[in-house]
Amino acid sequence: MTVARILAQKGRTVVTVQPHRTLAEAAALLAEKGIGALVVSDAGSTVLGILSERDIIRAVARGGAAALEAPVSRHMTGRVVSCTRGTAIEEIMALMTDGRFRHVPVVEDGLLVGLVSIGDVVKHRIASVEAEQQALREYIATA
């Protein structure tokens, strides 16, 4: 199974934020959309970075409430690990576990084509295990 399967089920919509926006604006967008991370992009098609709830919390812990007026670019993760639609789901799970992050942008030919979260991966994995379990039950019942 590949990332393409997850994107086919969940869609390819990615919420982005421009690097000059403030952390307060980014936090409001995260809350409005009910998500945990934003891809930082100028035009919504290339990945400049990623900003997670954790990044905002760390900024506030270091700089207090004044940090919320800082630009996203100051607190985003600039070195973003990405994948393609052809990346195996097991590889994404290993990347997330080893890197201790929860969101991976899907990039092809330099363009943002989706975003995969740990929740997406877990949901897919559970569905796969349940389907396998059902297939085994049916096999045993007909044997």
Side-chain angles (χ1 to χ4, degrees), residues 32-55:
E32 174 190 331
K33 300 293 183 180
I35 55 177
L38 300 165
V39 173
V40 182
S41 178
D42 273 329
S45 60
T46 58
V47 177
L48 302 175
I50 194 162
L51 183 78
S52 70
E53 295 167 317
R54 288 178 176 178
D55 295 323

Side-chain angles (χ1 to χ4, degrees):
M1 293 290 169
T2 65
V3 168
R5 182 72 164 250
I6 292 175
L7 292 180
Q9 292 172 346
K10 75 170 257 182
R12 294 180 27 187
T13 302
V14 180
V15 181
T16 63
V17 66
Q18 296 171 317
H20 68 275
R21 299 290 181 189
T22 65
L23 286 187
E25 290 172 310
L29 187 55
L30 287 169
E32 174 190 331
K33 300 293 183 180
I35 55 177
L38 300 165
V39 173
V40 182
S41 178
D42 273 329
S45 60
T46 58
V47 177
L48 302 175
I50 194 162
L51 183 78
S52 70
E53 295 167 317
R54 288 178 176 178
D55 295 323
I56 295 171
I57 294 298
R58 288 181 184 126
V60 170
R62 285 190 303 265
L68 293 173
E69 296 309 313
V72 164
S73 60
R74 188 176 303 158
H75 298 286
M76 70 181 188
T77 300
R79 297 178 65 170
V80 179
V81 174
S82 65
C83 68
T84 67
R85 286 181 279 212
T87 304
I89 292 172
E90 292 78 14
E91 185 178 342
I92 290 295
M93 290 184 340
L95 283 171
M96 289 178 169
T97 301
D98 294 343
R100 301 186 73 209
F101 48 82
R102 298 175 178 176
H103 300 85
V104 177
V106 184
V107 177
E108 292 191 345
D109 299 322
L111 300 176
L112 179 64
V113 298
L115 182 73
V116 177
S117 72
I118 191 70
D120 300 327
V121 173
V122 168
K123 181 179 177 181
H124 177 77
R125 185 68 181 126
I126 289 171
S128 294
V129 168
E130 287 174 350
E132 185 178 314
Q133 186 179 43
Q134 182 61 33
L136 286 171
R137 278 194 198 114
E138 290 172 7
Y139 175 75
I140 290 169
T142 59

